[in-house]
Amino acid sequence: MRMPNVNCHAKENAMKSRLLSISTAGKLSILLLFGMSILSAIPCRGRTSAGGRYLKAVRDFADTVIDKGRDTYGDERTPLFVDGLHAASLKPPIWKKDGEWGGVSNCARQQPLIRILDGLTSLTNDSRYRRAATDATGYTLKHLQSRNGLLYWGGHVAWDIKTERAVGQYASVHEMKGHQPYYRFMWEVDPDSTRKLMGAIWATHILDWSRLDYNRHANTEKPAEPKWNHEFAEGLEVPFPTEGSNLSFANVTPPLMHSGTMLASLDKNRDALKWTRRLVYRWQQGKHPQTGLCGGQLSYRKNDRAKDALGHVHPSINEARIVASYHQTSRYHTIPLAQMQAAETLLEAGGEYANVGREFIEWAIEDLKIYARRSFDPDSGKFIALMIDGTPLKWREAKTGYYIPESFAPRSPDGHLLWGYATAYRLSKDKDLWKTIRQLTKVMGIGDIGLPAGRDQALKLDTDNADWRVLYALLELHRATGDRSILTKACSIADNLLKLQTPTGLFPRPGREYARTGDEIPLALLHLAAALDGKSDRMPPPVFDSRFFHCEFHGQLAEHQ
């Protein structure tokens, strides 16, 4: 292992501001701001040290995790972190499945922690934070990488520190849904292993390269190499029927897009760039020609679960042709956000990479505008479920099976969606996007964001909102407008989040006794602290990164579990 010799996100913040125009049907001009620290240092509610309170909270969290959350098993201790700690006793949880597991370590779930530790060193000049992240990351890449390049991490598999073996629901099944690891940091620690990992994600999860049909599951032990030279069916009709167990869920696209984008950018890999663009464009090909709406899968099976539920009232339905349930949130609440974040990485790389980045932004903005126009109901403040031809789903008539009627009920806007619209506005200054943002902030209890110049604003400073994702949305809006009152609003949400912090520094959720070491809350607070002190350019870029661990527990669960 080696210590990164440079701050791994410094290069992407070193570029000067530039105005980039892209040609679209609407002659859209996109203003991209790189490296401009327009987040002025301002105090929250009169505090003299602008971000000091939040920085201290994050340091308390990180200090506890470093001191109590690492390997304590056996004679030889590794630098790995456990996934969780009891908020009072600071003991890791014991998992029971086919025996008893000691300290479960899932590096995919710990990516917020790695970003926190890297960012803390940048803000405080205390090297021990980044050193802890470097040691854990280096050990993972050296010792937890399977023969084909995948890691023992993700949705179904983790590493048992006590017995030093892969464990999980399926110990050889690699699953990534929404995961967007900190590859830039991993690259600084061990570029060869990181290159192998990013390529392996494409090699194992893509099952049909000509159609770009994929599965959320892959085998950690089966040899595989990326088929960058494979033929590609450019004009394929999307969605398309598939065989077997393939389920091309929308929430698997961000991990593929992220690994492909970072492999292209870090390794100057034009093949990765080409295939990542093809994957993103598949979602554009899946849009209905009249409505512009797209479902949440690229492919569909003959025995379709949506048809089982609603085929009696919507004969042409399948899971690839609905804007509903988790398909709806994955396709519109998260893919556009992740796509724009990938685009900014490509813009930084310049040249042909930047050209693809501009396309990603154009497509994401168009998708968000269509979603608001077609699905948002201003009377209820929710996004209604639709067939992609625009037909509202008769969700109350759904049969119970895999789905229940409520699976297709209208969806409330969430923090990821607001974050996406805010990012899109920053990149385009599109007035229609601002109108949607104004509607969403009212519905979400944030108040009236007013006009971009700050007029007609009525933000609620007494809000009970405690959604860390909203912090990122507000930081994007402040970055776009320079309006300091938006940061004041962000502080009110951050103060609600601080109420969750225990004396040990951890952030257990309400009703829980255990807390995650890979926690999104302190990472969001650290971004706010940096913004308040005018140091956002020192932080790892904010990124959509959704993680989980799905595994049976063979034992009696307490209420707090």
Side-chain angles (χ1 to χ4, degrees), residues 439-496:
Q439 290 175 307
L440 297 184
T441 56
K442 293 176 183 178
V443 169
M444 297 172 70
I446 298 168
D448 189 348
I449 198 73
L451 300 175
R455 297 191 306 274
D456 301 331
Q457 192 178 89
L459 293 171
K460 293 177 60 178
L461 297 181
D462 59 346
T463 181
D464 59 358
N465 188 297
D467 187 343
W468 57 268
R469 300 168 300 180
V470 173
L471 286 184
Y472 289 115
L474 294 176
L475 291 177
E476 289 285 357
L477 292 175
H478 177 265
R479 186 178 173 190
T481 65
D483 184 352
R484 296 186 175 191
S485 64
I486 295 176
L487 283 188
T488 303
K489 173 61 184 178
C491 289
S492 68
I493 295 175
D495 290 344
N496 290 336

Side-chain angles (χ1 to χ4, degrees), residues 40-45 47-59 120 123-124 487 491 494 498 524-535:
S40 308
I42 65 167
C44 266
R45 299 185 182 180
R47 285 193 281 273
T48 55
S49 177
R53 183 184 182 192
Y54 306 115
L55 180 62
K56 180 183 182 304
V58 179
R59 293 193 73 163
L120 274 174
L123 295 180
T124 67
L487 283 188
C491 289
L498 286 183
L525 293 175
L526 190 62
H527 275 282
L528 176 61
L532 291 167
D533 289 336
K535 299 177 180 178

Side-chain angles (χ1 to χ4, degrees), residues 1-12 79 81 107 110-122 126-141 151 153 180-195 197-198 258 262-263 265-266 345 538-541 543:
M1 287 178 291
R2 62 183 178 86
M3 185 73 170
N5 55 15
V6 296
N7 185 351
C8 64
H9 51 269
K11 292 181 181 179
E12 62 192 285
F81 292 98
C107 188
Q110 295 167 11
Q111 292 306 291
L113 173 63
I114 302 302
R115 290 179 167 104
I116 287 169
L117 297 175
D118 184 36
L120 274 174
T121 290
S122 294
D126 188 336
S127 63
R128 73 189 184 102
Y129 295 118
R130 188 174 292 144
R131 170 59 65 185
T134 299
D135 291 346
T137 299
Y139 187 92
T140 297
L141 290 170
L151 295 180
W153 67 351
Q180 296 208 105
Y182 195 5
Y183 289 126
R184 192 176 295 271
F185 187 85
M186 298 167 79
W187 184 269
E188 290 294 330
V189 175
D190 185 344
D192 291 338
S193 296
T194 305
R195 180 187 297 109
L197 168 62
M198 292 187 290
H258 184 56
M262 297 310 298
L263 183 59
S265 174
L266 295 171
T345 296
R538 302 186 186 182
M539 286 291 294
V543 63

